[in-house]
Amino acid sequence: MSDKELATITIQHYGDLQRIKKANGGHENAALDYALKLTVAQLSSLGVNVEDITLAD
């Protein structure tokens, strides 16, 4: 898998996690928050600026 393919899949995963968090209705979910942090770290290591793709509150 190329870096571009990995970045694309990870971006899609990040979008999925953001939609889940938004649908969660503000309820505390430590596992979801941790998954988002890990995904942000992975995207950053791939050179993707997550600020451009973060879902607004």
Side-chain angles (χ1 to χ4, degrees):
M1 178 181 302
S2 71
D3 284 348
K4 187 172 182 170
E5 291 170 320
L6 180 59
T8 299
I9 290 168
T10 308
I11 288 168
Q12 290 170 342
H13 180 66
Y14 182 61
D16 292 343
L17 290 172
Q18 288 186 91
R19 284 188 292 279
I20 291 167
K21 183 168 179 79
K22 188 168 187 162
N24 203 24
H27 296 284
E28 182 86 17
N29 187 329
L32 179 58
D33 291 340
Y34 185 68
L36 280 162
K37 285 181 185 180
L38 289 177
T39 306
V40 167
Q42 190 174 27
L43 286 169
S44 294
S45 74
L46 291 168
V48 176
N49 183 356
V50 294
E51 290 178 11
D52 294 339
I53 59 172
T54 300
L55 189 63
D57 290 333

